[in-house]
Amino acid sequence: MKNYILAAVLLGLATTVKAQQEISYEVSFPNAVHHEAEVSMTIPNVPANVPLKVRFARSSPGRYATHEFGKNAYNLKAFDANGKPLALKQPAGDVFEIAKPSAKVKITYTIFGNWIDGTYAGFDETHAHMNTPAVFAFPIGMDKRARTIKFSYAGKADWKVATQLKPLGNGIYYAKDFQYFMDSPIEISNYKAASFEVKSADGKTQTVHLMAHSEDDEMTIFNYTNMLKKMVEEQKAVFGEMPIFDYGHYYFLHCVHPSYAGDGMEHRNSTVIVQRTPKIAGYESNLLGTFAHEFFHAWNVERLRPKTLEPFNFTHSNISDELWFAEGFTQYYGNLTLKRAGFRDLENITRVFSGLVNAVSNMPGAKNFSPIQASRYAVFADAGVAVDQTNQQNIFTSYYTYGATVALALDLRLRTDFKLSLDDYMKALWKAYGKTEIAYTIPDLEKTLASLTKNPSFAQQFFKNFVYATKKEDYAALLLKAGLVLQKENPGKAFSGIGRLEEREGKVLVPATLVGSPAYIAGLDLNDIILKADGNDIKSAKDFESLTAKHKPGETIEVVYSRKGEERTTKLTFAENPSLTLLPIENTGATLTAEMKAFRTKWLESAVK
């Protein structure tokens, strides 16, 4: 009996000590109409005799570029346990320091938010939409401490909280540590909800929730949730099992309004999806793409996770070599699983694949930089905001697109050469690194491919050519296995290399030109004004397009243009239009063989057993 009593006492003491370490937040919205929230943070057991530093984040989980969340925080004040003000210094724009803190410190501030997406925060009369790093300051050096948060929304009786944070009751929510807290978005509104159940890897029942802040009725939300369930089942079939969600729940936090920024942002047990339509009803199929991409991340990136993203750094963005896999393979499967679930037809998916192959075949970024290099550029490209212009169109192909083409190539190679599939590869990676939550490296990805195929030489060559370098697979030959014909979209047609001309104040302006294109070789550059081409006045974009259509590849015209007020003349030699298109072979007049049909069916049709 004494042992039981001692154990109970020790457990009680441990719980008390843990509670004394918890950093607690309180949030209210007295001025939501003007997009403000009031935040207080209480830090107990502050270490003695050292300054206390508190800061705001500069990065966010799932976002790979650096952001400055501290710019929207103001009126920051500090107090001791008795409410006495403490002196604050501000050594950096988003860092505050208390030279002589008390044992317990309370920080209060106002946060402004008026941007509804997956990265920032927004407050108004209808809801409080919070990406945690955009709202909450944190003490430096206390990452292992648990967090609690309590919301007050007086006058908003219909508001409810939706978050992956653990509810403790009495309006209080809990995170086990700093990393989990910052990875937990929060939506408070009069949302409509529906849910469905799934079985986890351990056989337990889990619940997937749709929390929709939109102008839709309950039946629309219910029906849309049934669509999501079908999508989820197809994605489960890829890996063979569901992840185990913390606390047994996964949440789609869905905000819909034309005024919103739009976004999708994955988190460990939830995702924020913001879409710019009037409502869900009438747009169901179009909206599914974001859901398919973000939910696939519940496996690929949230648990099957690159070592370069561990732990997530909130003072600046982690640079990662593996985003071509983490995001690109997810992009590939988002589209593929919607096709398998019956929400996309053959025309839709061939258009997607055509876009992927065009991007890596015709864009300078993919010709000159590898998928790894594209991944590393994410710290500048992923919703990064800069005043100065960049040469992105010539040095960067999105790791989403680039990685999806690598996935497409590998899927087709595995099916053609090994009677395997990319699904088998994802299952193998899940078993080794996802389910076990052992962060992987690129050599780990290669090693798993070698083990799966029992052909280390193939794995080594694939990674050497298509991951570490800029070589491209023979997509035409691979796609033909499925009865899909890759061909020039406009064979024999003239191509200037000038993209979409801009018409501004009666002037026709050149967009940024691509390396190697006729316009680039001719010396035309961003914001040059085209005056004449081939002796004809150019007064609209259509004028130049019509003129181009009259010429053939190899023909040369004279272009008169203005740059910074100076009139210049150059020679432009048309090339053949390089754009590719992908067509089912039966649409070209040729025959879809039984072998092609079987290959296509096994690849693109439902994988649910």
Side-chain angles (χ1 to χ4, degrees):
M1 177 63 74
K2 289 181 180 179
N3 287 339
Y4 287 122
I5 293 173
L6 178 60
V9 170
L10 291 174
L11 179 61
L13 287 173
T15 302
T16 301
V17 169
K18 186 176 180 181
Q20 289 174 347
Q21 294 293 317
E22 286 178 359
I23 296 166
S24 59
Y25 296 89
E26 293 187 9
V27 188
S28 61
F29 312 96
N31 196 27
V33 66
H34 292 299
H35 317 294
E36 289 183 339
E38 299 299 325
V39 181
S40 72
M41 171 179 61
T42 301
I43 309 166
N45 289 338
V46 176
N49 302 319
V50 294
L52 172 65
K53 288 187 177 181
V54 170
R55 67 164 299 139
F56 289 89
R58 300 181 67 236
S59 60
S60 179
R63 191 100 276 166
Y64 307 113
T66 300
H67 299 270
E68 303 294 347
F69 298 122
K71 67 185 180 297
N72 281 325
Y74 41 89
N75 297 333
L76 193 140
K77 300 173 184 177
F79 306 91
D80 65 14
N82 298 316
K84 181 181 177 181
L86 296 172
L88 276 172
K89 292 182 179 179
Q90 191 173 359
D94 47 19
V95 179
F96 297 84
E97 181 179 301
I98 303 171
K100 297 180 179 180
S102 56
K104 184 176 184 181
V105 173
K106 181 177 182 180
I107 306 284
T108 65
Y109 57 93
T110 302
I111 193 82
F112 176 86
N114 192 25
W115 192 254
I116 312 298
D117 71 349
T119 307
Y120 296 99
F123 312 106
D124 59 33
E125 305 97 315
T126 68
H127 70 153
H129 177 90
M130 288 172 278
N131 180 40
T132 308
V135 176
F136 296 99
F138 58 92
I140 296 172
M142 302 183 190
D143 292 6
K144 293 183 179 180
R145 291 199 189 188
R147 265 68 171 169
T148 62
I149 182 169
K150 184 174 184 178
F151 301 102
S152 173
Y153 34 90
K156 302 289 184 181
D158 56 356
W159 279 16
K160 303 163 292 211
V161 177
T163 180
Q164 68 178 35
L165 292 167
K166 183 180 181 180
L168 297 181
N170 298 317
I172 299 174
Y173 295 81
Y174 170 85
K176 63 180 181 179
D177 56 26
F178 173 65
Q179 288 279 332
Y180 193 91
F181 177 67
M182 295 293 267
D183 191 39
S184 300
I186 302 154
E187 169 70 21
I188 311 177
S189 63
N190 183 24
Y191 57 79
K192 298 178 180 69
S195 62
F196 58 90
E197 293 184 344
V198 294
K199 293 289 186 182
S200 63
D202 58 4
K204 294 181 180 179
T205 298
Q206 304 187 109
T207 307
V208 178
H209 305 267
L210 172 62
M211 281 37 181
H213 178 226
S214 68
E215 297 296 328
D216 289 286
D217 57 30
E218 298 283 357
M219 185 54 67
T220 296
I221 306 305
F222 175 80
N223 290 336
Y224 200 60
T225 304
N226 285 335
M227 295 175 72
L228 295 179
K229 183 177 182 180
K230 195 170 183 181
M231 175 203 80
V232 167
E233 289 298 326
E234 288 295 346
Q235 297 196 345
K236 174 184 176 183
V238 172
F239 293 95
E241 61 187 18
M242 294 293 295
I244 297 176
F245 300 126
D246 301 324
Y247 315 121
H249 296 271
Y250 185 93
Y251 303 90
F252 289 108
L253 307 181
H254 193 199
C255 289
V256 180
H257 196 273
S259 67
Y260 294 162
D263 202 2
M265 188 57 61
E266 76 280 358
H267 298 274
R268 183 171 171 84
N269 305 295
S270 63
T271 186
V272 171
I273 295 177
V274 180
Q275 292 171 314
R276 304 180 66 181
T277 57
K279 54 175 66 176
I280 297 172
Y283 301 88
E284 289 91 343
S285 182
N286 290 341
L287 302 183
L288 277 175
T290 309
F291 282 86
H293 180 95
E294 301 306 333
F295 191 73
F296 200 83
H297 275 315
W299 292 271
N300 190 29
V301 99
E302 290 301 331
R303 291 162 177 85
L304 180 55
R305 194 159 176 81
K307 195 170 185 178
T308 46
L309 296 182
E310 290 293 322
F312 197 84
N313 190 330
F314 290 95
T315 64
H316 64 81
S317 294
N318 295 51
I319 193 165
S320 176
D321 290 348
E322 297 87 6
L323 297 184
W324 60 271
F325 180 84
E327 293 291 354
F329 276 47
T330 298
Q331 186 77 357
Y332 173 73
Y333 269 111
N335 289 297
L336 181 59
T337 52
L338 287 180
K339 171 65 179 72
R340 290 177 175 176
F343 297 122
R344 299 290 185 264
D345 59 21
L346 185 60
E347 180 182 355
N348 296 140
I349 200 67
T350 53
R351 192 182 306 121
V352 169
F353 294 154
S354 176
L356 295 177
V357 176
N358 262 301
V360 297
S361 300
N362 295 319
M363 297 301 291
K367 289 180 180 179
N368 300 310
F369 298 89
S370 71
I372 291 174
Q373 289 170 310
S375 298
R376 295 176 71 82
Y377 197 77
V379 294
F380 305 117
D382 185 35
V385 178
V387 175
D388 59 321
Q389 294 176 354
T390 70
N391 197 27
Q392 219 178 89
Q393 74 279 355
N394 284 318
I395 65 171
F396 175 66
T397 295
S398 169
Y399 42 88
Y400 288 83
T401 303
Y402 213 155
T405 59
V406 175
L408 172 63
L410 183 55
D411 200 356
L412 295 174
R413 285 292 303 274
L414 289 171
R415 291 174 184 276
T416 300
D417 299 346
F418 299 97
K419 305 305 177 188
L420 294 165
S421 72
L422 198 64
D423 293 10
D424 296 313
Y425 183 50
M426 300 307 288
K427 285 184 179 74
L429 287 169
W430 172 251
K431 183 177 180 180
Y433 302 102
K435 191 172 182 178
T436 58
E437 299 203 41
I438 299 172
Y440 67 82
T441 63
I442 292 180
D444 292 327
L445 298 179
E446 181 181 326
K447 181 179 68 175
T448 303
L449 183 60
S451 176
L452 175 69
T453 59
K454 298 179 174 59
N455 191 328
S457 178
F458 166 75
Q460 182 185 35
Q461 284 300 115
F462 189 91
F463 273 77
K464 178 182 177 181
N465 291 336
F466 310 124
V467 176
Y468 291 105
T470 61
K471 289 186 178 180
K472 304 297 180 287
E473 268 285 12
D474 185 348
Y475 288 100
L478 289 172
L479 288 162
L480 191 58
K481 298 286 185 182
L484 301 176
V485 178
L486 185 67
Q487 61 187 31
K488 286 285 183 70
E489 187 173 15
N490 297 295
K493 298 294 183 181
F495 171 73
S496 70
I498 297 177
R500 184 175 297 175
L501 289 161
E502 181 182 350
E503 297 180 20
R504 189 192 309 162
E505 299 176 352
K507 299 174 182 177
V508 180
L509 281 71
V510 175
T513 53
L514 299 180
V515 170
S517 69
Y520 190 95
I521 294 169
L524 293 172
D525 198 32
L526 177 67
N527 290 331
D528 286 344
I529 301 168
I530 298 182
L531 304 175
K532 289 178 179 292
D534 204 23
N536 298 287
D537 292 337
I538 302 298
K539 297 182 178 179
S540 68
K542 189 174 181 181
D543 288 344
F544 191 83
E545 292 165 5
S546 298
L547 184 144
T548 302
K550 295 176 182 179
H551 287 273
K552 296 179 180 179
E555 294 182 348
T556 300
I557 64 171
E558 184 177 84
V559 177
V560 181
Y561 64 101
S562 174
R563 179 178 295 169
K564 297 181 180 178
E566 178 186 346
E567 188 171 303
R568 302 184 181 191
T569 301
T570 188
K571 300 288 186 181
L572 186 149
T573 300
F574 292 109
E576 184 181 35
N577 194 315
S579 295
L580 301 168
T581 189
L582 186 64
L583 298 171
I585 194 169
E586 58 268 35
N587 292 4
T588 68
T591 300
L592 176 68
T593 66
E595 187 178 12
M596 289 174 177
K597 185 177 181 180
F599 188 108
R600 186 191 294 179
T601 298
K602 194 170 184 179
W603 175 29
L604 300 179
E605 299 307 317
S606 177
V608 177
K609 305 299 183 184

